[in-house]
Amino acid sequence: MNQLEERKKVTGDENDLLCLVRILMKHKHMIAVVTIVITLFMIVGGYLYNKSKAITTTVITLNYPGRENGKTPNGALLTTNEIVPLDVLNNVYDKHKDIIKEKDKRDFINSIDLVWMIPDHIKKRIKDAENRGEKYNYTPSEFQIVSKDNKKIVDDIANESVASFIERYRPNYTIQPIKIEGDYDYPTVFELISDKIDTLKTLVNDRDKKHFISNKSGYSFDKIRQNIESLEKLELQDYYSYYTVHNLSLDMKAREVRYKSDIQVLKLQREGLISQRDTIKKMIDDYRPGEKNFIIGNVGELQKKLDQSDEYYGKLIDQYLNLNRSIVEKEQRIKKLEEENKVALVYPTEQQKEKMNLKLDVLINRLNSIIEDVNTINDEYIRVTYSNMISITAPVIETTAGKPLYMYLALGIILGLFTGIFFSFIAEFKEDYKKRYGK
């Protein structure tokens, strides 16, 4: 009896399962359509969700002395506006406003974030310092640009920011070639050329410490310095010697006025230095340092008691000595100019003028050639030295906080199947209800 009941039960279960399969097969098209629709809906929805959560990033790195102290290359305070300037954001918005998500310029500017990147080991040090009740100072050198716009927008922001930074802070120093136009007197021409040579020497001597060699010309700053010294000793000295030996002048009256003017300026400068020296002398006389005797040579009978650890008194003495040296130099220069002004001058003959013009042409041509070499190597030096002061060190990438699309696909299929099966049973129930109770 029990076996018969069990067999009837198994047969009933098999009939129920077959009935379920028949229902699913009967509505298989509906199940397939519902599954496809829901799957597509999930994929599109997932894509749009990911898109809304997507961010585009790139990294800008600073590399120049002073950045570790939060300073710009010129020593000013480093701010986010120095790295991504407002004018760059305005320019990018104007170029791409049709594809930018934020349709208002202010909203777009506010949507751009500049994240100061701090390495994990530095974060640990900061946290450890906080736990000890200490302060840990750190200025990042890497900054991440974060935006919800596409790669093109972020790429333009990064590139224009780098170009703007370089334009503002990379030196762009060019020495102009010399031109002697007009009938300048010979001493005036000499001073103009001497000033230009001094400018060259100042630049070259500073660069020479770096031992830089040009890839284009093969010159070093040391080689150019030697060329400048050669120019001074040969061509410039030859030009100077010729008109001084022969006492030549193109304008005796203008020369006399210039000498008197230069002498007057030097005398005023000397009087100012004497006034400063007297003030320092009085401060020294009124000061009472330590107990050791100290005698200053070559500045008269000045004897004081000095404590060698008294820095203030020592500085007063240094200032006094320097002022005296400057006064002596001014007096020597005044005496030299007064003696030169007494020399009787002559107007050059045509032959002498021609000779002087030839010497001047040789001098200027060689000087301008050196200036061209200096500008070439200096431009290369600046580009090499400042090439990495700011750079894009990470490619523009797009990331999202959402899930991968294949997960939305799998979820869509599962939900679609269950929903299709549910709808198929609803349809079967309605059909069965009509058969039983319908007319």
Side-chain angles (χ1 to χ4, degrees), residues 58-120:
T58 189
V59 176
I60 291 179
T61 301
L62 303 180
N63 183 26
Y64 58 84
R67 72 197 183 285
E68 65 278 1
N69 297 321
K71 302 293 184 180
T72 62
N74 63 1
L77 181 65
L78 180 66
T79 63
T80 54
N81 188 60
E82 296 292 333
I83 303 168
V84 181
L86 185 61
D87 58 343
V88 167
L89 296 178
N90 285 327
N91 186 46
V92 172
Y93 179 84
D94 292 337
K95 285 198 315 185
H96 303 290
K97 58 185 176 182
D98 292 337
I99 60 173
I100 289 177
K101 292 181 178 179
E102 301 288 351
K103 297 309 175 184
D104 182 78
K105 183 182 288 188
R106 180 179 296 180
D107 293 338
F108 167 71
I109 293 173
N110 292 334
S111 71
I112 305 299
D113 291 329
L114 191 66
V115 180
W116 297 52
M117 301 180 68
I118 303 177
D120 291 337

Side-chain angles (χ1 to χ4, degrees), residues 284-285 287-295 302-308 310 313-314 317:
I284 292 174
D285 290 339
Y287 195 68
R288 294 291 181 270
E291 296 299 329
K292 294 186 179 179
N293 290 329
F294 184 78
I295 300 176
L302 178 62
Q303 180 173 350
K304 283 290 177 182
K305 293 180 179 181
L306 174 68
D307 184 350
Q308 291 178 340
D310 195 330
Y313 187 72
I317 297 297

Side-chain angles (χ1 to χ4, degrees), residues 82 159-172 382-383 386-391:
E82 296 292 333
N159 282 297
E160 290 193 25
S161 296
V162 168
S164 175
F165 194 92
I166 291 174
E167 182 180 357
R168 277 178 289 138
Y169 295 115
R170 185 171 70 186
N172 185 22
I382 287 174
R383 291 183 181 278
Y386 294 91
S387 60
N388 293 323
M389 61 189 268
I390 183 171
S391 58

Side-chain angles (χ1 to χ4, degrees), residues 268-284:
L268 290 174
Q269 292 175 348
R270 181 190 61 185
E271 294 304 317
L273 291 172
I274 290 174
S275 176
Q276 294 180 46
R277 182 196 63 184
D278 292 344
T279 301
I280 297 296
K281 176 68 164 57
K282 187 176 185 307
M283 294 173 66
I284 292 174

Side-chain angles (χ1 to χ4, degrees), residues 90 210 430:
N90 285 327
K210 313 298 191 302
K430 288 174 65 177

Side-chain angles (χ1 to χ4, degrees), residues 19 56 114 123 125 152 154 158 170 186 205 221 237 239 324 347 381 436:
C19 182
T56 309
L114 191 66
K123 291 180 179 178
R125 292 181 185 178
K152 175 62 177 174
V154 175
R170 185 171 70 186
Y186 300 132
N205 288 336
F221 285 106
Q237 186 60 40
Y239 180 84
N324 269 285
Y347 192 82
Y381 168 82
R436 292 186 179 185

